[in-house]
Amino acid sequence: MRNVRVEDHDHLPLDVLPIGTEYPPDFLLARHAHRRAQVLYGAIGTMLVETDEGSWTVPTDRAVLIPPGVEHEVRMLDVTTWSLYIEPDAVPWWPTSCTVVEVGPLLRELLRAAFDLPLDLDVHGRDGAVLDLALHELQRVAPVPLSIRLPAEGVLRDLCRAYLADPDVHVTNADWASRASVSGRTLDRRFRAATGVGPAVWRVRARLLASLPSLRTASVTDVAGRLGYATPAAFTAAFTRAFGVPPTRFR
């Protein structure tokens, strides 16, 4: 099913509703929640998913597993999505927090096939077999640590959201302390309590996550320079420490 609203078909007696949607560049899908669990896969482009808990960056050929009932917004950076909306009882193993996962060749082709299924799909024939196998494959996916924790509310959350939208290597703790009208020590203490890390460490991870859309088209050397790294090797080392794989995996 293509470019239809899940709300219009949620009543159907199907464990899995496959829906594909094409979005214009830089489209913001406003905050919402679904009764069903959702697999949100980006066939092309990059998605930025935000909840009260944090922010997840979903590059091409990865997916994010969204728990039922979790409010989220999604910024679509020139994205075509293939989604599965799944009855919670059909996936008792589903994660309780948003999780970015790798999508292997078999699961990708299953999602592609599901994208073309008709509304009156045959759950007892090939259509149902495609969706059943997709659920089996989803239990085998590997998580990817492409997320960052956000403060729950207040000025610290506002600072973090603004930085994620426009990361600047020149921003300092003193800049943030001034904007929050607190001392540097107070900022550090409150920020660690809210996110588990200091603000400088948080900003480094935010900049590395922000590099993912650029890595689709730009060289590692160019991206490293934009982020303020002295050499591509320094950027590659920091990226690999943060995400477990080198940036070339995302080109």
PDB file of all heavy atoms in Angstrom, residues 88-122:
ATOM      1  N   PRO A  88       0.668  -5.250  18.531  1.00  0.00           N
ATOM      2  CA  PRO A  88       1.610  -5.519  19.621  1.00  0.00           C
ATOM      3  C   PRO A  88       1.642  -6.980  20.059  1.00  0.00           C
ATOM      4  O   PRO A  88       2.718  -7.511  20.384  1.00  0.00           O
ATOM      5  CB  PRO A  88       1.118  -4.606  20.745  1.00  0.00           C
ATOM      6  CG  PRO A  88       0.437  -3.470  20.032  1.00  0.00           C
ATOM      7  CD  PRO A  88      -0.210  -4.096  18.828  1.00  0.00           C
ATOM      8  N   ASP A  89       0.505  -7.661  20.053  1.00  0.00           N
ATOM      9  CA  ASP A  89       0.473  -9.065  20.486  1.00  0.00           C
ATOM     10  C   ASP A  89       1.271  -9.974  19.552  1.00  0.00           C
ATOM     11  O   ASP A  89       1.685 -11.066  19.956  1.00  0.00           O
ATOM     12  CB  ASP A  89      -0.966  -9.566  20.559  1.00  0.00           C
ATOM     13  CG  ASP A  89      -1.736  -8.951  21.721  1.00  0.00           C
ATOM     14  OD1 ASP A  89      -1.081  -8.349  22.603  1.00  0.00           O
ATOM     15  OD2 ASP A  89      -2.979  -9.050  21.735  1.00  0.00           O
ATOM     16  N   ALA A  90       1.501  -9.519  18.314  1.00  0.00           N
ATOM     17  CA  ALA A  90       2.239 -10.336  17.355  1.00  0.00           C
ATOM     18  C   ALA A  90       3.753 -10.228  17.535  1.00  0.00           C
ATOM     19  O   ALA A  90       4.498 -11.024  16.972  1.00  0.00           O
ATOM     20  CB  ALA A  90       1.864  -9.930  15.928  1.00  0.00           C
ATOM     21  N   VAL A  91       4.199  -9.236  18.326  1.00  0.00           N
ATOM     22  CA  VAL A  91       5.647  -9.028  18.527  1.00  0.00           C
ATOM     23  C   VAL A  91       5.934  -8.791  20.015  1.00  0.00           C
ATOM     24  O   VAL A  91       6.377  -7.709  20.425  1.00  0.00           O
ATOM     25  CB  VAL A  91       6.170  -7.851  17.676  1.00  0.00           C
ATOM     26  CG1 VAL A  91       6.309  -8.244  16.216  1.00  0.00           C
ATOM     27  CG2 VAL A  91       5.250  -6.629  17.793  1.00  0.00           C
ATOM     28  N   PRO A  92       5.708  -9.800  20.858  1.00  0.00           N
ATOM     29  CA  PRO A  92       5.935  -9.614  22.297  1.00  0.00           C
ATOM     30  C   PRO A  92       7.391  -9.303  22.631  1.00  0.00           C
ATOM     31  O   PRO A  92       7.690  -8.813  23.721  1.00  0.00           O
ATOM     32  CB  PRO A  92       5.503 -10.963  22.891  1.00  0.00           C
ATOM     33  CG  PRO A  92       5.602 -11.939  21.763  1.00  0.00           C
ATOM     34  CD  PRO A  92       5.252 -11.165  20.533  1.00  0.00           C
ATOM     35  N   TRP A  93       8.298  -9.557  21.691  1.00  0.00           N
ATOM     36  CA  TRP A  93       9.725  -9.316  21.889  1.00  0.00           C
ATOM     37  C   TRP A  93      10.153  -7.910  21.491  1.00  0.00           C
ATOM     38  O   TRP A  93      11.328  -7.559  21.567  1.00  0.00           O
ATOM     39  CB  TRP A  93      10.535 -10.323  21.057  1.00  0.00           C
ATOM     40  CG  TRP A  93       9.993 -10.479  19.658  1.00  0.00           C
ATOM     41  CD1 TRP A  93       9.080 -11.419  19.243  1.00  0.00           C
ATOM     42  CD2 TRP A  93      10.272  -9.675  18.509  1.00  0.00           C
ATOM     43  NE1 TRP A  93       8.797 -11.249  17.905  1.00  0.00           N
ATOM     44  CE2 TRP A  93       9.523 -10.196  17.425  1.00  0.00           C
ATOM     45  CE3 TRP A  93      11.112  -8.587  18.291  1.00  0.00           C
ATOM     46  CZ2 TRP A  93       9.559  -9.643  16.152  1.00  0.00           C
ATOM     47  CZ3 TRP A  93      11.159  -8.030  17.022  1.00  0.00           C
ATOM     48  CH2 TRP A  93      10.382  -8.559  15.971  1.00  0.00           C
ATOM     49  N   TRP A  94       9.217  -7.078  21.087  1.00  0.00           N
ATOM     50  CA  TRP A  94       9.545  -5.747  20.561  1.00  0.00           C
ATOM     51  C   TRP A  94      10.282  -4.909  21.617  1.00  0.00           C
ATOM     52  O   TRP A  94       9.971  -4.987  22.803  1.00  0.00           O
ATOM     53  CB  TRP A  94       8.268  -5.026  20.154  1.00  0.00           C
ATOM     54  CG  TRP A  94       8.451  -3.973  19.099  1.00  0.00           C
ATOM     55  CD1 TRP A  94       8.445  -2.626  19.276  1.00  0.00           C
ATOM     56  CD2 TRP A  94       8.651  -4.189  17.699  1.00  0.00           C
ATOM     57  NE1 TRP A  94       8.630  -1.987  18.083  1.00  0.00           N
ATOM     58  CE2 TRP A  94       8.756  -2.920  17.094  1.00  0.00           C
ATOM     59  CE3 TRP A  94       8.748  -5.327  16.903  1.00  0.00           C
ATOM     60  CZ2 TRP A  94       8.954  -2.751  15.727  1.00  0.00           C
ATOM     61  CZ3 TRP A  94       8.950  -5.169  15.546  1.00  0.00           C
ATOM     62  CH2 TRP A  94       9.051  -3.896  14.971  1.00  0.00           C
ATOM     63  N   PRO A  95      11.268  -4.087  21.212  1.00  0.00           N
ATOM     64  CA  PRO A  95      11.968  -3.245  22.198  1.00  0.00           C
ATOM     65  C   PRO A  95      11.037  -2.217  22.827  1.00  0.00           C
ATOM     66  O   PRO A  95      10.051  -1.788  22.211  1.00  0.00           O
ATOM     67  CB  PRO A  95      13.060  -2.560  21.375  1.00  0.00           C
ATOM     68  CG  PRO A  95      12.579  -2.624  19.957  1.00  0.00           C
ATOM     69  CD  PRO A  95      11.794  -3.900  19.841  1.00  0.00           C
ATOM     70  N   THR A  96      11.352  -1.822  24.038  1.00  0.00           N
ATOM     71  CA  THR A  96      10.528  -0.839  24.759  1.00  0.00           C
ATOM     72  C   THR A  96      10.994   0.588  24.496  1.00  0.00           C
ATOM     73  O   THR A  96      10.358   1.542  24.955  1.00  0.00           O
ATOM     74  CB  THR A  96      10.563  -1.117  26.262  1.00  0.00           C
ATOM     75  OG1 THR A  96      11.925  -1.100  26.714  1.00  0.00           O
ATOM     76  CG2 THR A  96       9.951  -2.481  26.573  1.00  0.00           C
ATOM     77  N   SER A  97      12.104   0.739  23.783  1.00  0.00           N
ATOM     78  CA  SER A  97      12.611   2.046  23.399  1.00  0.00           C
ATOM     79  C   SER A  97      12.945   2.004  21.913  1.00  0.00           C
ATOM     80  O   SER A  97      13.246   0.938  21.367  1.00  0.00           O
ATOM     81  CB  SER A  97      13.859   2.383  24.215  1.00  0.00           C
ATOM     82  OG  SER A  97      14.384   3.647  23.853  1.00  0.00           O
ATOM     83  N   CYS A  98      12.884   3.146  21.244  1.00  0.00           N
ATOM     84  CA  CYS A  98      13.246   3.188  19.827  1.00  0.00           C
ATOM     85  C   CYS A  98      14.646   2.604  19.637  1.00  0.00           C
ATOM     86  O   CYS A  98      15.550   2.855  20.442  1.00  0.00           O
ATOM     87  CB  CYS A  98      13.215   4.624  19.313  1.00  0.00           C
ATOM     88  SG  CYS A  98      11.567   5.326  19.143  1.00  0.00           S
ATOM     89  N   THR A  99      14.806   1.841  18.571  1.00  0.00           N
ATOM     90  CA  THR A  99      16.073   1.167  18.303  1.00  0.00           C
ATOM     91  C   THR A  99      16.366   1.203  16.812  1.00  0.00           C
ATOM     92  O   THR A  99      15.539   0.761  16.011  1.00  0.00           O
ATOM     93  CB  THR A  99      16.025  -0.297  18.769  1.00  0.00           C
ATOM     94  OG1 THR A  99      15.667  -0.352  20.156  1.00  0.00           O
ATOM     95  CG2 THR A  99      17.369  -0.981  18.576  1.00  0.00           C
ATOM     96  N   VAL A 100      17.533   1.719  16.440  1.00  0.00           N
ATOM     97  CA  VAL A 100      17.966   1.679  15.042  1.00  0.00           C
ATOM     98  C   VAL A 100      18.619   0.326  14.782  1.00  0.00           C
ATOM     99  O   VAL A 100      19.407  -0.161  15.599  1.00  0.00           O
ATOM    100  CB  VAL A 100      18.968   2.810  14.729  1.00  0.00           C
ATOM    101  CG1 VAL A 100      19.431   2.732  13.278  1.00  0.00           C
ATOM    102  CG2 VAL A 100      18.326   4.169  14.995  1.00  0.00           C
ATOM    103  N   VAL A 101      18.286  -0.291  13.642  1.00  0.00           N
ATOM    104  CA  VAL A 101      18.803  -1.623  13.326  1.00  0.00           C
ATOM    105  C   VAL A 101      19.306  -1.662  11.886  1.00  0.00           C
ATOM    106  O   VAL A 101      18.871  -0.890  11.029  1.00  0.00           O
ATOM    107  CB  VAL A 101      17.723  -2.708  13.517  1.00  0.00           C
ATOM    108  CG1 VAL A 101      17.266  -2.767  14.977  1.00  0.00           C
ATOM    109  CG2 VAL A 101      16.528  -2.484  12.601  1.00  0.00           C
ATOM    110  N   GLU A 102      20.241  -2.580  11.656  1.00  0.00           N
ATOM    111  CA  GLU A 102      20.691  -2.870  10.297  1.00  0.00           C
ATOM    112  C   GLU A 102      19.592  -3.646   9.557  1.00  0.00           C
ATOM    113  O   GLU A 102      18.892  -4.460  10.150  1.00  0.00           O
ATOM    114  CB  GLU A 102      21.966  -3.717  10.331  1.00  0.00           C
ATOM    115  CG  GLU A 102      23.175  -3.004  10.908  1.00  0.00           C
ATOM    116  CD  GLU A 102      23.852  -2.098   9.899  1.00  0.00           C
ATOM    117  OE1 GLU A 102      23.339  -1.980   8.765  1.00  0.00           O
ATOM    118  OE2 GLU A 102      24.894  -1.514  10.250  1.00  0.00           O
ATOM    119  N   VAL A 103      19.467  -3.383   8.274  1.00  0.00           N
ATOM    120  CA  VAL A 103      18.526  -4.112   7.430  1.00  0.00           C
ATOM    121  C   VAL A 103      19.326  -4.868   6.379  1.00  0.00           C
ATOM    122  O   VAL A 103      19.944  -4.257   5.494  1.00  0.00           O
ATOM    123  CB  VAL A 103      17.500  -3.163   6.778  1.00  0.00           C
ATOM    124  CG1 VAL A 103      16.625  -3.918   5.789  1.00  0.00           C
ATOM    125  CG2 VAL A 103      16.648  -2.490   7.845  1.00  0.00           C
ATOM    126  N   GLY A 104      19.338  -6.197   6.492  1.00  0.00           N
ATOM    127  CA  GLY A 104      20.088  -7.019   5.558  1.00  0.00           C
ATOM    128  C   GLY A 104      19.368  -7.196   4.232  1.00  0.00           C
ATOM    129  O   GLY A 104      18.215  -6.772   4.071  1.00  0.00           O
ATOM    130  N   PRO A 105      20.007  -7.839   3.278  1.00  0.00           N
ATOM    131  CA  PRO A 105      19.430  -7.985   1.933  1.00  0.00           C
ATOM    132  C   PRO A 105      18.074  -8.684   1.915  1.00  0.00           C
ATOM    133  O   PRO A 105      17.175  -8.262   1.189  1.00  0.00           O
ATOM    134  CB  PRO A 105      20.488  -8.811   1.181  1.00  0.00           C
ATOM    135  CG  PRO A 105      21.761  -8.540   1.906  1.00  0.00           C
ATOM    136  CD  PRO A 105      21.391  -8.365   3.345  1.00  0.00           C
ATOM    137  N   LEU A 106      17.924  -9.760   2.705  1.00  0.00           N
ATOM    138  CA  LEU A 106      16.645 -10.482   2.684  1.00  0.00           C
ATOM    139  C   LEU A 106      15.523  -9.628   3.245  1.00  0.00           C
ATOM    140  O   LEU A 106      14.449  -9.512   2.627  1.00  0.00           O
ATOM    141  CB  LEU A 106      16.758 -11.789   3.470  1.00  0.00           C
ATOM    142  CG  LEU A 106      15.456 -12.602   3.602  1.00  0.00           C
ATOM    143  CD1 LEU A 106      14.850 -12.897   2.235  1.00  0.00           C
ATOM    144  CD2 LEU A 106      15.704 -13.894   4.379  1.00  0.00           C
ATOM    145  N   LEU A 107      15.748  -9.006   4.403  1.00  0.00           N
ATOM    146  CA  LEU A 107      14.703  -8.166   4.991  1.00  0.00           C
ATOM    147  C   LEU A 107      14.380  -6.992   4.084  1.00  0.00           C
ATOM    148  O   LEU A 107      13.209  -6.617   3.936  1.00  0.00           O
ATOM    149  CB  LEU A 107      15.133  -7.682   6.375  1.00  0.00           C
ATOM    150  CG  LEU A 107      14.125  -6.802   7.125  1.00  0.00           C
ATOM    151  CD1 LEU A 107      12.776  -7.492   7.257  1.00  0.00           C
ATOM    152  CD2 LEU A 107      14.669  -6.405   8.490  1.00  0.00           C
ATOM    153  N   ARG A 108      15.391  -6.418   3.458  1.00  0.00           N
ATOM    154  CA  ARG A 108      15.146  -5.306   2.542  1.00  0.00           C
ATOM    155  C   ARG A 108      14.231  -5.724   1.394  1.00  0.00           C
ATOM    156  O   ARG A 108      13.289  -5.003   1.030  1.00  0.00           O
ATOM    157  CB  ARG A 108      16.472  -4.770   2.000  1.00  0.00           C
ATOM    158  CG  ARG A 108      16.304  -3.597   1.047  1.00  0.00           C
ATOM    159  CD  ARG A 108      17.633  -2.933   0.712  1.00  0.00           C
ATOM    160  NE  ARG A 108      18.556  -3.851   0.069  1.00  0.00           N
ATOM    161  CZ  ARG A 108      19.675  -4.291   0.623  1.00  0.00           C
ATOM    162  NH1 ARG A 108      19.990  -3.928   1.852  1.00  0.00           N
ATOM    163  NH2 ARG A 108      20.486  -5.107  -0.027  1.00  0.00           N
ATOM    164  N   GLU A 109      14.461  -6.889   0.829  1.00  0.00           N
ATOM    165  CA  GLU A 109      13.616  -7.350  -0.277  1.00  0.00           C
ATOM    166  C   GLU A 109      12.219  -7.703   0.200  1.00  0.00           C
ATOM    167  O   GLU A 109      11.233  -7.522  -0.524  1.00  0.00           O
ATOM    168  CB  GLU A 109      14.278  -8.530  -0.973  1.00  0.00           C
ATOM    169  CG  GLU A 109      15.558  -8.169  -1.723  1.00  0.00           C
ATOM    170  CD  GLU A 109      15.365  -6.980  -2.652  1.00  0.00           C
ATOM    171  OE1 GLU A 109      14.375  -6.969  -3.416  1.00  0.00           O
ATOM    172  OE2 GLU A 109      16.198  -6.050  -2.611  1.00  0.00           O
ATOM    173  N   LEU A 110      12.111  -8.205   1.420  1.00  0.00           N
ATOM    174  CA  LEU A 110      10.780  -8.479   1.983  1.00  0.00           C
ATOM    175  C   LEU A 110      10.005  -7.180   2.185  1.00  0.00           C
ATOM    176  O   LEU A 110       8.800  -7.107   1.898  1.00  0.00           O
ATOM    177  CB  LEU A 110      10.911  -9.232   3.304  1.00  0.00           C
ATOM    178  CG  LEU A 110      11.396 -10.677   3.202  1.00  0.00           C
ATOM    179  CD1 LEU A 110      11.780 -11.211   4.583  1.00  0.00           C
ATOM    180  CD2 LEU A 110      10.313 -11.572   2.574  1.00  0.00           C
ATOM    181  N   LEU A 111      10.685  -6.146   2.672  1.00  0.00           N
ATOM    182  CA  LEU A 111      10.026  -4.851   2.831  1.00  0.00           C
ATOM    183  C   LEU A 111       9.631  -4.282   1.468  1.00  0.00           C
ATOM    184  O   LEU A 111       8.553  -3.702   1.317  1.00  0.00           O
ATOM    185  CB  LEU A 111      10.949  -3.879   3.566  1.00  0.00           C
ATOM    186  CG  LEU A 111      11.210  -4.202   5.040  1.00  0.00           C
ATOM    187  CD1 LEU A 111      12.317  -3.312   5.597  1.00  0.00           C
ATOM    188  CD2 LEU A 111       9.948  -4.032   5.860  1.00  0.00           C
ATOM    189  N   ARG A 112      10.490  -4.459   0.497  1.00  0.00           N
ATOM    190  CA  ARG A 112      10.167  -3.992  -0.857  1.00  0.00           C
ATOM    191  C   ARG A 112       8.924  -4.712  -1.394  1.00  0.00           C
ATOM    192  O   ARG A 112       8.037  -4.088  -1.986  1.00  0.00           O
ATOM    193  CB  ARG A 112      11.351  -4.226  -1.794  1.00  0.00           C
ATOM    194  CG  ARG A 112      11.169  -3.632  -3.198  1.00  0.00           C
ATOM    195  CD  ARG A 112      12.197  -4.190  -4.171  1.00  0.00           C
ATOM    196  NE  ARG A 112      13.547  -3.992  -3.702  1.00  0.00           N
ATOM    197  CZ  ARG A 112      14.261  -2.878  -3.909  1.00  0.00           C
ATOM    198  NH1 ARG A 112      13.716  -1.875  -4.567  1.00  0.00           N
ATOM    199  NH2 ARG A 112      15.500  -2.791  -3.469  1.00  0.00           N
ATOM    200  N   ALA A 113       8.857  -6.022  -1.191  1.00  0.00           N
ATOM    201  CA  ALA A 113       7.700  -6.796  -1.645  1.00  0.00           C
ATOM    202  C   ALA A 113       6.438  -6.380  -0.891  1.00  0.00           C
ATOM    203  O   ALA A 113       5.354  -6.257  -1.487  1.00  0.00           O
ATOM    204  CB  ALA A 113       7.965  -8.287  -1.459  1.00  0.00           C
ATOM    205  N   ALA A 114       6.561  -6.150   0.415  1.00  0.00           N
ATOM    206  CA  ALA A 114       5.398  -5.748   1.213  1.00  0.00           C
ATOM    207  C   ALA A 114       4.860  -4.396   0.756  1.00  0.00           C
ATOM    208  O   ALA A 114       3.642  -4.151   0.783  1.00  0.00           O
ATOM    209  CB  ALA A 114       5.783  -5.698   2.686  1.00  0.00           C
ATOM    210  N   PHE A 115       5.753  -3.527   0.312  1.00  0.00           N
ATOM    211  CA  PHE A 115       5.388  -2.193  -0.163  1.00  0.00           C
ATOM    212  C   PHE A 115       4.404  -2.277  -1.328  1.00  0.00           C
ATOM    213  O   PHE A 115       3.559  -1.386  -1.510  1.00  0.00           O
ATOM    214  CB  PHE A 115       6.680  -1.489  -0.586  1.00  0.00           C
ATOM    215  CG  PHE A 115       6.522  -0.093  -1.112  1.00  0.00           C
ATOM    216  CD1 PHE A 115       6.102   0.943  -0.298  1.00  0.00           C
ATOM    217  CD2 PHE A 115       6.832   0.209  -2.426  1.00  0.00           C
ATOM    218  CE1 PHE A 115       5.986   2.231  -0.775  1.00  0.00           C
ATOM    219  CE2 PHE A 115       6.725   1.496  -2.917  1.00  0.00           C
ATOM    220  CZ  PHE A 115       6.302   2.506  -2.084  1.00  0.00           C
ATOM    221  N   ASP A 116       4.473  -3.347  -2.114  1.00  0.00           N
ATOM    222  CA  ASP A 116       3.623  -3.492  -3.294  1.00  0.00           C
ATOM    223  C   ASP A 116       2.384  -4.365  -3.059  1.00  0.00           C
ATOM    224  O   ASP A 116       1.642  -4.637  -4.000  1.00  0.00           O
ATOM    225  CB  ASP A 116       4.436  -4.092  -4.444  1.00  0.00           C
ATOM    226  CG  ASP A 116       5.457  -3.107  -4.998  1.00  0.00           C
ATOM    227  OD1 ASP A 116       5.135  -1.905  -5.061  1.00  0.00           O
ATOM    228  OD2 ASP A 116       6.572  -3.534  -5.351  1.00  0.00           O
ATOM    229  N   LEU A 117       2.171  -4.808  -1.820  1.00  0.00           N
ATOM    230  CA  LEU A 117       1.006  -5.658  -1.561  1.00  0.00           C
ATOM    231  C   LEU A 117      -0.278  -4.835  -1.626  1.00  0.00           C
ATOM    232  O   LEU A 117      -0.302  -3.661  -1.249  1.00  0.00           O
ATOM    233  CB  LEU A 117       1.131  -6.314  -0.178  1.00  0.00           C
ATOM    234  CG  LEU A 117       2.259  -7.329  -0.017  1.00  0.00           C
ATOM    235  CD1 LEU A 117       2.284  -7.874   1.403  1.00  0.00           C
ATOM    236  CD2 LEU A 117       2.114  -8.469  -1.026  1.00  0.00           C
ATOM    237  N   PRO A 118      -1.378  -5.456  -2.067  1.00  0.00           N
ATOM    238  CA  PRO A 118      -2.654  -4.740  -2.151  1.00  0.00           C
ATOM    239  C   PRO A 118      -3.307  -4.602  -0.782  1.00  0.00           C
ATOM    240  O   PRO A 118      -2.935  -5.284   0.186  1.00  0.00           O
ATOM    241  CB  PRO A 118      -3.497  -5.641  -3.065  1.00  0.00           C
ATOM    242  CG  PRO A 118      -2.962  -7.015  -2.796  1.00  0.00           C
ATOM    243  CD  PRO A 118      -1.493  -6.848  -2.574  1.00  0.00           C
ATOM    244  N   LEU A 119      -4.291  -3.728  -0.700  1.00  0.00           N
ATOM    245  CA  LEU A 119      -5.008  -3.523   0.552  1.00  0.00           C
ATOM    246  C   LEU A 119      -5.716  -4.797   0.993  1.00  0.00           C
ATOM    247  O   LEU A 119      -5.754  -5.139   2.181  1.00  0.00           O
ATOM    248  CB  LEU A 119      -6.018  -2.374   0.398  1.00  0.00           C
ATOM    249  CG  LEU A 119      -6.810  -1.975   1.641  1.00  0.00           C
ATOM    250  CD1 LEU A 119      -5.861  -1.548   2.757  1.00  0.00           C
ATOM    251  CD2 LEU A 119      -7.777  -0.846   1.305  1.00  0.00           C
ATOM    252  N   ASP A 120      -6.280  -5.538   0.037  1.00  0.00           N
ATOM    253  CA  ASP A 120      -6.983  -6.789   0.355  1.00  0.00           C
ATOM    254  C   ASP A 120      -6.016  -7.971   0.243  1.00  0.00           C
ATOM    255  O   ASP A 120      -6.291  -8.953  -0.439  1.00  0.00           O
ATOM    256  CB  ASP A 120      -8.173  -6.988  -0.577  1.00  0.00           C
ATOM    257  CG  ASP A 120      -7.777  -6.978  -2.049  1.00  0.00           C
ATOM    258  OD1 ASP A 120      -6.652  -6.496  -2.354  1.00  0.00           O
ATOM    259  OD2 ASP A 120      -8.567  -7.452  -2.869  1.00  0.00           O
ATOM    260  N   LEU A 121      -4.895  -7.868   0.939  1.00  0.00           N
ATOM    261  CA  LEU A 121      -3.854  -8.891   0.813  1.00  0.00           C
ATOM    262  C   LEU A 121      -4.341 -10.236   1.336  1.00  0.00           C
ATOM    263  O   LEU A 121      -5.206 -10.310   2.218  1.00  0.00           O
ATOM    264  CB  LEU A 121      -2.583  -8.450   1.532  1.00  0.00           C
ATOM    265  CG  LEU A 121      -2.643  -8.174   3.037  1.00  0.00           C
ATOM    266  CD1 LEU A 121      -2.319  -9.410   3.854  1.00  0.00           C
ATOM    267  CD2 LEU A 121      -1.665  -7.054   3.408  1.00  0.00           C
ATOM    268  N   ASP A 122      -3.781 -11.291   0.788  1.00  0.00           N
ATOM    269  CA  ASP A 122      -4.162 -12.664   1.118  1.00  0.00           C
ATOM    270  C   ASP A 122      -3.260 -13.170   2.243  1.00  0.00           C
ATOM    271  O   ASP A 122      -2.119 -13.569   2.000  1.00  0.00           O
ATOM    272  CB  ASP A 122      -4.029 -13.547  -0.126  1.00  0.00           C
ATOM    273  CG  ASP A 122      -4.367 -15.002   0.150  1.00  0.00           C
ATOM    274  OD1 ASP A 122      -4.870 -15.309   1.260  1.00  0.00           O
ATOM    275  OD2 ASP A 122      -4.122 -15.849  -0.728  1.00  0.00           O
TER     276      ASP A 122
END
